Structures are given as C-alpha cells and as structure tokens.
C-alpha cells in the first residue's frame, strides 16, 4: 500500500513538473510569437509609411512634369488655365524668365500669392521655355540689379518680373493680379481695412499671359497717350466728385497695358511726337480746341516723312467745347463728329449700363447697342459675337466726300431706329473749369449723371424726336490714307470713337460686354500687332466651404493620431487572438 501511495505521489509530482515545463514553453514561445508579431507589425508600418512617402515624392514629380494631372477643386477653378493661354505658351519660341522678388516660402505663405505661384507652376509645367525663380531683394542684390537695369525703375519686394531678352514687364501682386473693390481699397490705403477685404477676383492669368506676350512680341507697339496739355488734363474733368472721363482714361490705359502695348503719357504742348518712338497716338477728348502748332504736330506724325505707317485714335465726347481746328484736321481725313448724341428709341436695341462717376458711385444710362462692321479686317476677331457693344452718350460720326484718296469705314453703327439728339458745345472758364458747374459741386455732379442724351441746351426745347431723321448712325469709324510704293502699300490711319464712356471702367472690365475686346482687337488688326488673349477674371466672392479653428484641430487629431493608433491596436489584438486559437 505504501509503495502504491509512493508511486501515485511520484506520478503526480511528475505530472506537475511536466505541466510547469509545458506552461513555461507556452509562455516562452507565446512571448516570442507576440514579440515577433509586434516586430512584424512595426516593420509593415515602416514599409507602409515609406511607400506613402515614396508615392508622395513620385506624385509631386509627376505633377511638375504633368501639371494637368493636378485636379482643381476650387469653386471658381482658380488654378485652371484657358485653352488660349495653353496654346500660346506651348508654342513659345523664345525663353522667358519669370522672377518673383521674394523668398519662395515667404511669398507662398500668403494664400493670395499662392494663387500666383500655382498658376506660374502650371505655366512652367506646360512650357520648357518658361523658367520661374524666386529671389530676395536684400540677399540677392546682383539679381535685383540685373532686372533694374532693364526696367529702368525701382523694383520692390514681392513683385512679379517677366523678362525675355531686353524686354521686361514688372507687375504689382496686388493691383495687377487681382481685381479690387475701389471703395474698400481706399479704406485699405488709409489702414482701415486689410487687402484681403478688397479682393473680388483673380486676374493673374490675364496679366501673366499678356506680360509674356509683351516681352516675346517680335513687333512691339508703343502707344503715346496725349494725357495733358501744359501739365493739365487734356480731357474734361466735370468735378472732383463726378468725373467719368478720368476713370475711362485709366481704364483705357490699363486695357492697353494689359494687352501687350508699351504705354506712355505725353503732353500735347511740351512733348515731341517722335515717330521713331511711338507707333500710335491717342487723343482722349480734348475739352478745348488744339492750337495750330498742335495740329501741325499731329499731321507731321501721321505723314512720318512720307513713310506713313502711323495710327491716331481720336476719342470725341459730349464734354468737349467747340473745336474748329480739330474739326478741320478731321475734315482732311473725310470725317466730321457732330454735336449730337445717338439715341435709340427701340428698347430692344438698348441696354441699361452703369458709368463710373467716382470710386464710390455709378450712374445708370440707357445706351444703344451697336453693330460691328461685316468687314473681316475690322471685325475685332471677337471670340463671342453674342456679347453686346454699347455706346453710351456717343456723338455721331459723319463721312465726308472728298477726292483725296482717303477712305472711311464705319466700324460700329447703331440700329435703323436710332436718331441724333442735338447738343451744344460745352463752355469752359479761363481757368479750364467747366463753366456750367460754376454754381456748386452738387450741380456739377447732378449734371454729369443726367446730361448724356438729354443735354440742357437752348435747342432741346424745340426738338421733336418724331420728326428727326431715323437710321443707322456711325459711332466709330476708321479713316485710311493708303499709298502705293510700287511693290507694296503704306498707310496711316485715324480711328475716331464717339464717346469716352464707351471705354468706361464698368464696361471694359465687365466680361458681359465686348467693348474692351473689340477696341483691342481692332487696334491689333490696324497696327499689325499679334492678337491678344482675353481671359476672364475668376470670381473670389463665391461662397466656399470653410472650417473653424476648433474643427480643424479635431480633424487633425482624428486623422494624425486617433486613426493610426486605432489601426495599430487593432493589429496587435488580431495577432494575439490568432496565436491562441
């Protein structure tokens, strides 16, 4: 019995020992397996992160090589480039350097500047001819000096410089790349608002493409605008608070500059109209008559020592006084600008338009919609012919008969239901101010806003519109002096426009009208300049989805920490459970 008990005790002891050994082995190998799994998970995680980084690098390089692969998900398609721009930059035959006078990191830290940088990145991706660089004006004085020598002016930090050969354009990133609300911009200048509050649209593509076209143009054109006479504005300034001609002047000047013309202001009396320097002159509605010396300067410019090849754009306006000397000059070109305003009594041939009287106010006018000539040489090559061209407060232009070899082409005409409302020439005091506004600024502002077709004249009280002749009236004409040189022809041209308001800022900056595109397209055709590219601005006032700072923190916490941690914990749990099944 004792032996049996001893044997049972021994067997039990052996079983316990075997069980302990078995448990130790399980613990040992289980621990090793868990450690192995953790190492495996860590290795997989490292490999996954490495793959993600590698993919990111590859995608970044592919994006630089194939810029169109990047999707633009912005509301206004801010980073998309028009087909016209793409066609142009893909066929560039000259190298173009685009330099931004700022450190890249600093420049792109601003969300608006980033739009410019992204657009330039696409330009560079689509053309090997375009090279984009950044430089610090304080750390890279040699680079700055190189561009300043070409520009001849002062280049500030944060500007966009476009250069090819010896031609250069310099743009301000605020006013040249963005459209701004003028009233808010005034507050910004006085420190009462931020610049971001002023921005309404991004026009960077238009500016950049025009700049590239300008510096690569093999046939550049220089425009001299006769802006002053003896230092005073040559055109009528109605008053300080209501001055439509001033804003039309600025709009025209900017329009030409944005479309690749080299624009310079001249004084009619003191500056030389050098035919070697200027290809085109613009005479914007002189309020008083030109002197005979000034008329002779215009004649000499157009004759160009017998070589012709020059253009003059004369803009008439209802704000002018009597101009017999100027009228005689125009008569030699077979045209006469009547003292009348073209009005269309057919509502379907009119449009209500707003004219910019000041930075803070507009005035509404009914303006005739005019028709473009069928002549293909002068149709402006409009991209969308359905958009209207309007002629607010336009004076009628008559063709005169003369046997001098010069021809006149009506470019823009009103409908057959239009008639001419008679006007009287304005009168100006000896100090150059508008005599009709002598009794106060309020009267001047009211007059400028309402004068238009209903000018207060001595003849208007007896005017009967029903008895007035009705028919098409010319509001823009081309006068051409063409001469044969044997194997070819040479020519000079005078373009006559019936109203400054046809180039009002509210019209030329509005893509709903063809006023700007026609004016530029016609000028390109007449002077032999390559057609410009017109790109619509991209609205930045559209509503977009935004997130608060707190929401962004929560999203960052979930994406960066919570989701990865959850994945790792889940992986460990699954690995351990599989081990002990």
């Amino acid at each position: 019995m004792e032996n049996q008990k001893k044997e049972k005790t021994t067997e039990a002891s052996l079983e316990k020992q075997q069980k302990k050994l078995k448990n130790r082995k399980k613990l040992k190998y289980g621990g090793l397996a868990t450690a192995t799994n953790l190492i495996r998970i860590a290795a997989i995680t490292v490999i996954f992160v490495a793959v993600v980084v590698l993919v990111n690098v590859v995608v970044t390089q592919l994006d630089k090589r194939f810029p169109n692969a990047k999707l633009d998900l912005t509301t206004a398609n801010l980073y998309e480039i028009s087909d016209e721009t793409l066609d142009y930059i893909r066929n560039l035959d000259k190298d173009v350097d685009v330099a931004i006078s700022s450190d890249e990191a600093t420049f792109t830290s601003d969300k608006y500047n980033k739009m410019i940088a992204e657009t330039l990145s696409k330009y560079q991706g689509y053309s090997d001819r375009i090279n984009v660089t950044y430089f610090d004006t304080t750390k890279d004085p040699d680079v700055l000096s190189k561009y300043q020598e070409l520009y001849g002016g002062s280049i500030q930090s944060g500007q966009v410089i476009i250069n090819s050969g010896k031609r250069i354009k310099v743009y301000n990133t605020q006013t040249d790349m963005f459209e701004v609300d003028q009233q808010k911009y005034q507050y910004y200048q006085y420190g009462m608002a931020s610049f971001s509050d002023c921005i309404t649209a991004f026009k960077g593509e238009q500016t950049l493409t025009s700049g590239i076209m300008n510096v690569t143009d093999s046939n550049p054109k220089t425009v001299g605008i006769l802006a002053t006479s003896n230092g005073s504005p040559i055109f009528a300034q109605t008053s300080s608070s209501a001055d439509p001609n001033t804003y039309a002047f600025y709009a025209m000047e900017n329009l030409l500059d944005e479309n690749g013309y080299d624009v310079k202001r001249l004084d009619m009396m003191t500056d030389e109209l050098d035919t070697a320097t200027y290809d085109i002159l613009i005479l914007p509605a002189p309020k008083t008559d030109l002197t005979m010396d000034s008329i002779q300067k215009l004649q000499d410019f157009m004759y160009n020592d017998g070589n012709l090849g020059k253009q003059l754009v004369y803009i008439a306006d209802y704000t002018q006084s009597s101009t017999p000397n100027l009228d005689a000059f125009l008569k030699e070109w077979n045209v006469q600008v009547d003292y009348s305003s073209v009005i269309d009594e057919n509502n379907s041939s009119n449009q209500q338009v707003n004219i910019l009287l000041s930075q803070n106010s507009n005035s509404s006018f009914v303006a005739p919609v005019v028709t473009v000539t069928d002549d293909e040489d002068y149709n402006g090559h409009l991209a969308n012919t359905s958009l209207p061209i309007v002629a607010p407060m336009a004076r009628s232009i008559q063709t005169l008969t003369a046997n001098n070899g010069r021809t006149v082409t009506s470019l823009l005409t009103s409908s057959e239901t239009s008639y001419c409302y008679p006007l009287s020439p304005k009168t100006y005091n000896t100090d150059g101010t508008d005599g009709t506004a002598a009794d106060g600024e309020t009267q001047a502002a009211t007059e400028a806003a309402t004068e238009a077709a209903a000018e207060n004249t001595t003849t208007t009280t007896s005017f009967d519109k029903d008895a007035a002749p009705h028919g098409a009236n010319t509001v823009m004409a081309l006068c051409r002096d063409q001469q044969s040189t044997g194997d070819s022809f040479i020519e000079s041209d005078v373009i006559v426009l019936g109203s400054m308001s046809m180039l009002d800022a509210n019209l030329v900056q509005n893509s709903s009208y063809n006023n700007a595109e026609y004016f530029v397209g016609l000028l390109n055709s007449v002077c032999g300049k390559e057609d410009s590219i017109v790109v619509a601005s991209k609205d930045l006032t559209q509503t977009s989805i935004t997130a608060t700072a707190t929401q962004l923190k929560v999203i960052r916490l979930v994406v960066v920490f919570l989701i990865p941690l959850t994945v790792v914990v889940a992986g460990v749990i699954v690995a351990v459970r599989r081990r002990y099944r």
Side-chain angles (χ1 to χ4, degrees), residues 62-99:
L62 287 175
D63 175 60
K64 290 181 180 180
R65 185 68 181 87
F66 305 102
N68 205 31
K70 181 186 288 186
L71 296 177
D72 184 357
L73 301 179
T74 59
T75 307
N77 294 324
L78 296 177
Y79 307 115
E80 289 298 320
I81 297 177
S82 66
D83 292 337
E84 292 80 5
T85 292
L86 288 180
D87 290 340
Y88 180 77
I89 63 177
R90 280 171 171 163
N91 294 299
L92 274 176
D93 56 3
K94 294 181 181 178
D95 292 333
V96 178
D97 291 326
V98 182

Side-chain angles (χ1 to χ4, degrees), residues 516-534:
E517 188 168 355
Y518 181 75
F519 180 74
V520 173
L522 173 74
L523 202 58
N524 289 344
S525 298
V526 172
C527 72
K529 188 180 185 301
E530 184 178 2
D531 283 341
S532 304
I533 294 173
V534 178

Side-chain angles (χ1 to χ4, degrees), residues 280-296:
I280 304 167
L281 293 180
I282 295 182
L283 181 59
K287 59 187 176 185
T288 56
D289 199 14
L290 301 185
T291 65
M292 290 307 297
D293 287 342
S294 296
I295 294 294
Q296 187 62 51

